[in-house]
Amino acid sequence: MSLFNFKKPSVKGGFRHGIHPPENKGLSETSKIEVVKGYETVTLPLLQHVGAPAKQIVEPKQEVKFGQMVAAGEAFISASIHSPVAGVVKNNRNVTMVNGRRIPAVVIKSEGEQVDPGLLWAEMIADDWALDRIPSYDPQQISKIIRDSGIVGLGGAAFPAHVKIAPNDKKPINTLLINGCECEPYLTSDYRLMIEAPHAIVAGAIIAAHALSAGQTIICIEDNKPEAIRELTQAGQGTSIKIAALKTKYPQGGEKQLIKSALGLEVPLGGLPGDIGVTVSNTGTMAAIAMALLKGRALTHRVLSVSGKGINSPKNLFIPIGISIGEIIRYCGGLREDACRIVAGGPMMGFAFSDLTTPVIKGNTGIIVLSKEEISEGRETSCIRCGKCVDACPMNLVPTRLAMASRYNNPDIALKYHINACFECGCCAYVCPAKINLVQLIRSGKRLVANQQALNKR
Amino acid sequence: MILITIAIAACTLVILSVIISYILGWANIRFKVETDPKVESVLEALPGANCGGCGYIGCSDYAAAIVNNNVPVNKCSVGGESCALKVAGIMGVDPGQMIKSYAIVHCGSGLSERLLRTVYHGEKTCIGANQVAGIQGCTYGCLGFGDCVQACKYGAIHVIDGLATVDYKKCTGCGACARVCPRGIIAIVPFNENSIPVVACSNKDSGKESKEVCERACIGCKACSKISDIFIVEGSLSRADYSAYSDSKHEDVLKATEKCPTKCIRFAGRM
């Protein structure tokens, strides 16, 4: 046997750079998912996803049933929206989303007999999924059911799932990665879902793999969640699904980082995972797909963590999409006196906002209320080119260069340094000792580049 | 000895300079680019601000377009009528009617009149702040960080009381401010008269919603459009039809300004 012929054991956790922020998951990771009941109105913005807004198909004063479609995603990259309550449609209202966009929203006041969300949750955590029914579905049919159920990526980006989970002859998919990393600090919604509803996730993964005709399916979980790994391994027994434990490192759950860690492959610059035959999807999305296909439930509810030292009792909740964030905070015992900043999503990539009437949307993974001690504030100082951001950037970019190109209005340099490859994970801003708002600057820079390109086209 | 060294150095320099000047002279003839003398004279007539207000990349681009593509000569808002006349003289064409355009800010709310929500720690630019939810209640109005002030080459726009305010004595209507405003509330508008009426609001939300966030918001009550026909109410936002305005309608418009319940109609321009 040749000395050079041995296969190196695969190193899981293998993307370069990244950071290790304090996890703070202990606040909410032991609390079981509670079903929120007794809400009066839900507000459903017509654009909760990436792509074109959904088109409203209900009129004010019209009665709607539980799970009825209220807005249809007509464009290819769009998603339909369903009512989580039975009730009456009120006049539309405009809401400022957490990302600053102003979007019209359908308001539904609950009236009459309601379907108990506890029932929905009981269906989700059941372990009797009719897995033998799955092969009888046609892949196109699965994609259509996902589309009709309004399912989007529930890991945060809210990309319509039917676009990804669809058979593609031009770019065949051979590997389906299920993302259960949940690398953001504080958030525990995926973790709890993996422990409490592992069978739904496995069922969804089998459905998605069937729709994609993917040869292998791997559920990737960071190694700080041993219980989730155990539960899913048990649930996945007797199926072809593999479980991979990855190193705990932020942003392990980034699409491109996950592919590099789990498969050792790299997505080409500007490309998508589909280009190398991989599809990545979140565990919550898998559970939603299983619910849609095997139980006929559209996406109306989701799991959300409420955490942070600024909230009285951190919890994991099963909530209707469209409930206001203020209501959720009230449910969790309200804000503490030293609460300082409310963030929708995780603390690294989430958005801080100020209006508590903002509704929860499909892509919300958590509400984090940070107390004064948890945020680092200070005056910005000059960049001394220490290079910490460069060492942290998981995309191997030069964040300071991009940020300064944006600040000094230079879209050409920003483009030359590949500003659009940045996915705004926030590692650079986290490590920057000069407290420069790197991510915000880069985000502005992307706008500058887009404006410039539009101007050049004219 | 030193003198000889100096002399050698001096001679070398003289010989070098002679050789190089010959090379330069030759290159000047050999690589001469033929420029249209017309383009140069048009370029001279243009103000040379290179602001891009005409829609071309700088004055030389516009000059070339005038000469080669028969583009109208009245597009330079900086040079104005005199410049258009001059260029028309060179080209031997009709200068066309020149209506002076200026920037108009479609927001009229001072800091005390709008709903402010939270302390903002991020980048002090409009393009950055526009991506953050809830700095102020209104998602349409002026953010007041002055991206337009930075963009203006003529010092004609200032942030006063949190609101971008145009100085019409200096504004040339080049449009640099309108291009950078992330909320798109600045427009370049032809001024029929020295001052024209403006509905200083961009809030497209319903009257109730816009009133919640701003005292000066247009609520779409149609009071103005009933008095003067230059106001058009679309949805719950009124706008003035600038091309239909002339001084003869001043009386009516003045009445509408008084009738407006939120006082969001005002006059802009050189008073």
Side-chain angles (χ1 to χ4, degrees):
Chain A
M1 203 175 96
S2 161
L3 195 65
F4 303 102
N5 210 5
F6 75 96
K7 196 168 172 245
K8 249 170 76 178
S10 61
V11 183
K12 304 276 180 176
F15 77 91
R16 288 181 64 203
H17 301 168
I19 54 170
H20 297 276
E23 285 168 27
N24 287 324
K25 289 191 193 264
L27 288 168
S28 60
E29 70 181 349
T30 51
S31 72
K32 274 186 92 170
I33 297 174
E34 286 176 33
V35 179
V36 177
K37 292 176 190 173
Y39 31 87
E40 272 190 1
T41 46
V42 287
T43 310
L44 302 165
L46 294 176
L47 183 63
Q48 308 188 13
H49 46 265
V50 175
K55 196 166 161 262
Q56 187 174 343
I57 54 171
V58 288
E59 299 288 320
K61 292 183 187 152
Q62 187 181 331
E63 276 188 23
V64 290
K65 291 199 288 285
F66 169 82
Q68 185 183 334
M69 194 187 281
V70 294
E74 286 173 346
F76 179 57
I77 301 189
S78 181
S80 306
I81 295 158
H82 302 74
S83 170
V85 291
V88 180
V89 180
K90 296 271 158 193
N91 285 337
N92 274 19
R93 136 179 130 85
N94 290 305
V95 292
T96 308
M97 309 278 273
V98 290
N99 60 5
R101 288 181 76 173
R102 190 91 173 149
I103 307 284
V106 182
V107 182
I108 300 168
K109 189 165 188 294
S110 67
E111 257 180 48
E113 206 169 309
Q114 298 294 332
V115 173
D116 182 12
L119 200 76
L120 211 63
W121 180 239
E123 281 178 10
M124 180 94 104
I125 57 174
D127 50 10
D128 56 324
W129 294 83
L131 298 183
D132 48 327
R133 253 169 61 199
I134 296 168
S136 66
Y137 285 99
D138 178 62
Q140 287 293 357
Q141 196 187 350
I142 295 176
S143 183
K144 190 175 175 300
I145 292 171
I146 293 174
R147 184 171 185 177
D148 293 342
S149 307
I151 296 174
V152 300
L154 298 181
F159 188 79
H162 67 266
V163 182
K164 273 204 241 173
I165 313 289
N168 188 341
D169 295 334
K170 276 184 213 136
K171 288 177 188 164
I173 302 294
N174 50 45
T175 308
L176 172 67
L177 293 183
I178 310 296
N179 186 351
C181 289
E182 198 162 57
C183 54
E184 278 261 10
Y186 294 93
L187 296 183
T188 52
S189 56
D190 281 356
Y191 173 67
R192 286 311 307 185
L193 189 73
M194 285 189 280
I195 292 174
E196 295 183 35
H199 295 280
I201 294 168
V202 168
I206 295 171
I207 294 166
H210 176 57
L212 292 164
S213 353
Q216 65 172 344
T217 308
I218 309 172
I219 301 181
C220 308
I221 307 170
E222 278 188 345
D223 59 7
N224 63 348
K225 304 177 184 67
E227 209 172 320
I229 297 173
R230 209 180 54 233
E231 288 289 341
L232 275 169
T233 315
Q234 255 172 27
Q237 256 163 16
T239 66
S240 61
I241 291 171
K242 281 183 263 179
I243 314 287
L246 305 181
K247 214 163 92 182
T248 303
K249 183 161 125 180
Y250 183 85
Q252 188 68 271
E255 192 171 65
K256 285 161 188 161
Q257 284 64 35
L258 190 71
I259 293 172
K260 179 84 170 95
S261 301
L263 305 170
L265 296 174
E266 236 169 271
V267 179
L269 183 70
L272 290 168
D275 298 343
I276 53 168
V278 182
T279 289
V280 182
S281 198
N282 179 265
T283 46
T285 319
M286 289 303 120
I289 288 175
M291 286 290 278
L293 201 78
L294 299 176
K295 309 257 158 122
R297 298 291 192 192
L299 178 64
T300 55
H301 288 65
R302 69 156 298 146
V303 180
L304 171 120
S305 330
V306 186
S307 187
K309 288 181 183 153
I311 190 125
N312 272 321
S313 46
K315 279 184 166 97
N316 296 297
L317 303 172
F318 187 63
I319 50 110
I321 289 155
I323 188 174
S324 81
I325 289 171
E327 223 165 314
I328 292 172
I329 287 175
R330 208 172 311 127
Y331 189 87
C332 294
L335 302 177
R336 281 166 57 156
E337 227 158 65
D338 56 348
C340 199
R341 185 175 294 170
I342 307 180
V343 179
M348 297 299 291
M349 287 185 77
F351 295 90
F353 65 99
S354 62
D355 184 1
L356 289 182
T357 62
T358 312
V360 171
I361 56 169
K362 290 176 182 174
N364 265 37
T365 47
I367 308 290
I368 310 297
V369 184
L370 298 170
S371 67
K372 210 154 207 158
E373 57 173 298
E374 287 169 292
I375 47 178
S376 95
E377 259 174 2
R379 216 165 55 86
E380 183 187 314
T381 54
S382 300
C383 174
I384 55 162
R385 311 284 193 279
C386 67
K388 277 194 173 174
C389 55
V390 182
D391 286 342
C393 181
M395 292 304 289
N396 302 318
L397 300 169
V398 191
T400 175
R401 192 79 205 212
L402 295 172
M404 291 308 134
S406 159
R407 179 173 282 174
Y408 299 110
N409 204 352
N410 201 334
D412 294 336
I413 288 192
L415 208 56
K416 196 174 145 201
Y417 283 80
H418 303 294
I419 191 161
N420 287 324
C422 166
F423 67 106
E424 300 166 16
C425 66
C427 289
C428 51
Y430 180 82
V431 298
C432 179
K435 294 195 193 316
I436 299 171
N437 302 312
L438 290 162
V439 178
Q440 196 187 12
L441 281 167
I442 292 174
R443 216 178 268 162
S444 305
K446 287 182 186 171
R447 297 297 296 275
L448 281 181
V449 168
N451 290 352
Q452 167 95 345
Q453 281 167 343
L455 209 66
N456 285 351
K457 231 180 237 168
R458 208 178 57 182
Chain B
M1 196 59 197
I2 294 167
L3 276 178
I4 293 170
T5 319
I6 292 171
I8 291 171
C11 285
T12 319
L13 278 179
V14 169
I15 294 163
L16 259 180
S17 61
V18 169
I19 295 169
I20 289 170
S21 59
Y22 268 98
I23 294 173
L24 282 176
W26 171 80
N28 189 25
I29 298 159
R30 176 70 181 76
F31 299 113
K32 189 172 170 66
V33 179
E34 284 298 332
T35 50
D36 196 330
K38 249 186 179 171
V39 175
E40 279 191 7
S41 52
V42 170
L43 185 58
E44 250 166 57
L46 290 172
N50 287 321
C51 62
C54 51
Y56 294 88
I57 309 161
C59 293
S60 59
D61 201 35
Y62 180 44
I66 289 176
V67 175
N68 301 328
N69 305 337
N70 292 324
V71 169
V73 297
N74 57 3
K75 285 196 168 190
C76 180
S77 59
V78 181
E81 208 167 349
S82 62
C83 164
L85 277 175
K86 235 191 264 174
V87 179
I90 298 165
M91 295 299 297
V93 293
D94 177 39
Q97 205 191 2
M98 183 88 192
I99 299 173
K100 198 81 174 123
S101 291
Y102 300 106
I104 277 185
V105 181
H106 289 102
C107 176
S109 158
L111 269 183
S112 57
E113 290 157 341
R114 58 179 99 148
L115 173 69
L116 298 171
R117 279 225 158 101
T118 182
V119 189
Y120 173 61
H121 296 284
E123 278 299 301
K124 300 276 186 282
T125 57
C126 301
I127 192 171
N130 192 34
Q131 297 161 27
V132 180
I135 293 170
Q136 58 191 34
C138 183
T139 43
Y140 302 92
C142 185
L143 284 157
F145 289 108
D147 284 14
C148 49
V149 179
Q150 295 293 323
C152 184
K153 286 184 177 174
Y154 307 98
I157 196 160
H158 303 281
V159 174
I160 300 169
D161 191 24
L163 177 66
T165 311
V166 180
D167 178 353
Y168 288 99
K169 289 197 182 86
K170 290 182 185 165
C171 180
T172 62
C174 70
C177 50
R179 280 194 292 275
V180 296
C181 179
R183 293 193 157 178
I185 58 170
I186 308 180
I188 303 300
V189 166
F191 274 49
N192 288 351
E193 307 290 346
N194 274 337
S195 73
I196 59 169
V198 177
V199 180
C201 181
S202 303
N203 196 322
K204 294 191 190 78
D205 291 355
S206 70
K208 187 172 162 266
E209 285 170 316
S210 35
K211 213 159 174 203
E212 272 168 18
V213 296
C214 181
E215 285 174 29
R216 287 280 164 273
C218 172
I219 54 172
C221 66
K222 297 188 178 156
C224 51
S225 62
K226 278 175 200 152
I227 296 171
S228 170
D229 60 345
I230 74 152
F231 295 105
I232 303 158
V233 181
E234 286 165 346
S236 57
L237 179 63
S238 170
R239 66 177 178 85
D241 182 0
Y242 301 115
S243 59
Y245 180 74
S246 66
D247 269 348
S248 61
K249 295 185 177 169
H250 188 259
E251 283 295 303
D252 279 356
V253 172
L254 217 55
K255 268 186 220 154
T257 349
E258 276 157 24
K259 192 86 185 174
C260 177
T262 57
K263 300 277 173 286
C264 66
I265 304 174
R266 50 186 64 177
F267 280 88
R270 292 177 197 187
M271 303 297 172

